[in-house]
Amino acid sequence: MSEARNLKSVRLAVAQTPVRDDPRDVEALRDSGREVRALMREASAQGARIVHFPEGAICFPSKFVMSVDGPDAVGPADWDRCRWPVLHSELAAIAELAGTLRLWTVIASVHRLTEPNRPHNSLYVVSDRGEVVTRYDERLLSKTKVSYMYSPGVSPVTFEVDGVRFGCLLGMEIHYPELFAEYEKLDVDCVLFSTSGTPGNTAAQAQGHATVNSYWVSLSVPSQHSVTAPSGIVAPNGDWLARCPADGSPSVAVVNLDDSSEAAADAVTYGRPWRREARAGIYTEHQVNDPRSEDRTAAF
């Protein structure tokens, strides 16, 4: 059996916030920023070192609002409709507060590119010094997103907080197990998944990805979807350790990602290392040459 992994621990907060869909609405952008910062303060008060927000935490632009053929039809997005200066000022205020609170903050937003390129749909990773240290861009986009709205990203992203390694996924990427397997190979301890909706039983899929990869999964969703699938954190054994209220309220749930805890120890110490050995080809030396093995029609 493989040797146990080095035990790690960090305190993580996952948030659910109201997600608005019109980037032309200045007051709505301001409201979103204020709500994000209020939850950052709440997470900090509960001792969190890192807080994780849903897709579209400041705004998730509607395909109909943005469409040049809208509002009744979907067409190419007109990104000049976005109030970029307001969006940027809210993100800057969030980064500043992250530094003040000494709180790592993972916040979703549209990332503008050089025209005429479409923007990315992204997760910014802001350090406890208030600096953007990396950014994840959604890679496997929906048909509408890739056809009319965004440029896809090209690579996975990892970062570390207090020795705990995180990976990021976004949007509809919960439906692609190969992305979660990729992060297992990159030796992450927790995947942060942000979404604007919960189609296809997202919560159950989050539990499945956590279990088969033996790592933590943080699921962050808009508060308006919390009745069916509130934000929460899944342990490496597949159990929900904490979930936000299922009542539509903006909130955070905070837990220690502790590899020595009952919910993680067996999966991290034994399950994950054993699966790595199994995939590395340890069965080859035990395989046999036997006619009764090769003959699939051999009876009994």
Side-chain angles (χ1 to χ4, degrees), residues 162-279:
D162 300 343
V164 175
R165 180 174 289 186
F166 292 88
C168 300
L169 292 173
L170 184 59
M172 63 173 295
E173 293 180 332
I174 194 79
H175 303 306
Y176 297 96
E178 62 269 28
L179 298 184
F180 288 84
E182 176 183 43
Y183 277 123
E184 195 282 332
K185 292 178 181 177
L186 291 173
D187 208 29
V188 305
D189 302 291
C190 177
V191 168
L192 307 175
F193 173 67
S194 298
T195 184
S196 63
T198 55
N201 203 336
T202 299
Q205 291 184 76
Q207 287 183 281
H209 293 311
T211 304
V212 301
N213 292 293
S214 294
Y215 54 41
W216 308 81
V217 172
S218 178
L219 171 66
S220 184
V221 305
S223 57
Q224 52 260 53
H225 294 302
S226 66
V227 175
T228 55
S231 293
I233 298 167
V234 188
N237 68 355
D239 290 344
W240 288 103
L241 285 195
R243 303 191 81 175
C244 292
D247 60 4
S249 63
S251 59
V252 292
V254 185
V255 299
N256 290 327
L257 306 189
D258 185 352
D259 281 356
S260 66
S261 65
E262 183 178 351
D266 283 349
V268 170
T269 304
Y270 302 112
R272 187 169 181 180
W274 172 249
R275 282 195 292 273
R276 286 184 169 183
E277 287 193 30
R279 290 175 177 132

Side-chain angles (χ1 to χ4, degrees), residues 270-297:
Y270 302 112
R272 187 169 181 180
W274 172 249
R275 282 195 292 273
R276 286 184 169 183
E277 287 193 30
R279 290 175 177 132
I282 64 169
Y283 299 104
T284 302
E285 64 182 279
H286 300 285
Q287 293 170 352
V288 297
N289 291 317
D290 187 319
R292 287 187 57 79
S293 173
E294 297 170 4
D295 184 357
R296 303 296 177 184
T297 65

Side-chain angles (χ1 to χ4, degrees), residues 15-257:
Q16 60 186 33
T17 60
V19 170
R20 299 168 174 90
D21 66 3
D22 190 346
R24 304 169 302 180
D25 189 334
V26 172
E27 192 54 39
L29 295 174
R30 300 289 191 201
D31 285 344
S32 292
R34 284 189 287 265
E35 287 162 352
V36 165
R37 292 188 289 274
L39 291 178
M40 290 172 65
R41 295 185 182 94
E42 183 178 337
S44 179
Q46 294 188 45
R49 280 283 287 139
I50 176 172
V51 61
H52 168 215
F53 285 93
E55 180 183 26
I58 305 300
C59 183
F60 185 66
S62 165
K63 59 188 177 183
F64 296 106
V65 169
M66 302 304 292
S67 173
V68 296
D69 299 325
D72 299 319
V74 178
D78 177 8
W79 285 103
D80 288 338
R81 299 178 183 183
C82 179
R83 298 298 183 95
W84 292 108
V86 179
L87 177 61
H88 292 161
S89 69
E90 292 304 314
L91 290 169
I94 288 165
E96 181 179 8
L97 182 60
T100 300
L101 297 175
R102 291 303 209 193
L103 177 68
W104 285 75
T105 302
V106 179
I107 183 77
S109 184
V110 178
H111 180 72
R112 197 174 191 178
L113 300 181
T114 306
E115 294 184 358
N117 296 319
R118 298 173 185 162
H120 290 312
N121 184 38
S122 303
L123 282 172
Y124 292 107
V125 178
V126 183
S127 76
D128 59 357
R129 295 179 178 273
E131 301 167 345
V132 176
V133 294
T134 191
R135 187 192 71 249
Y136 177 72
D137 307 319
E138 186 182 6
R139 290 174 283 167
L140 298 184
L141 303 161
S142 70
K143 186 173 182 179
T144 296
K145 281 180 176 177
V146 76
S147 297
Y148 300 117
M149 300 188 73
Y150 299 104
S151 298
V154 296
S155 64
V157 165
T158 65
F159 66 97
E160 291 191 7
V161 178
D162 300 343
V164 175
R165 180 174 289 186
F166 292 88
C168 300
L169 292 173
L170 184 59
M172 63 173 295
E173 293 180 332
I174 194 79
H175 303 306
Y176 297 96
E178 62 269 28
L179 298 184
F180 288 84
E182 176 183 43
Y183 277 123
E184 195 282 332
K185 292 178 181 177
L186 291 173
D187 208 29
V188 305
D189 302 291
C190 177
V191 168
L192 307 175
F193 173 67
S194 298
T195 184
S196 63
T198 55
N201 203 336
T202 299
Q205 291 184 76
Q207 287 183 281
H209 293 311
T211 304
V212 301
N213 292 293
S214 294
Y215 54 41
W216 308 81
V217 172
S218 178
L219 171 66
S220 184
V221 305
S223 57
Q224 52 260 53
H225 294 302
S226 66
V227 175
T228 55
S231 293
I233 298 167
V234 188
N237 68 355
D239 290 344
W240 288 103
L241 285 195
R243 303 191 81 175
C244 292
D247 60 4
S249 63
S251 59
V252 292
V254 185
V255 299
N256 290 327
L257 306 189

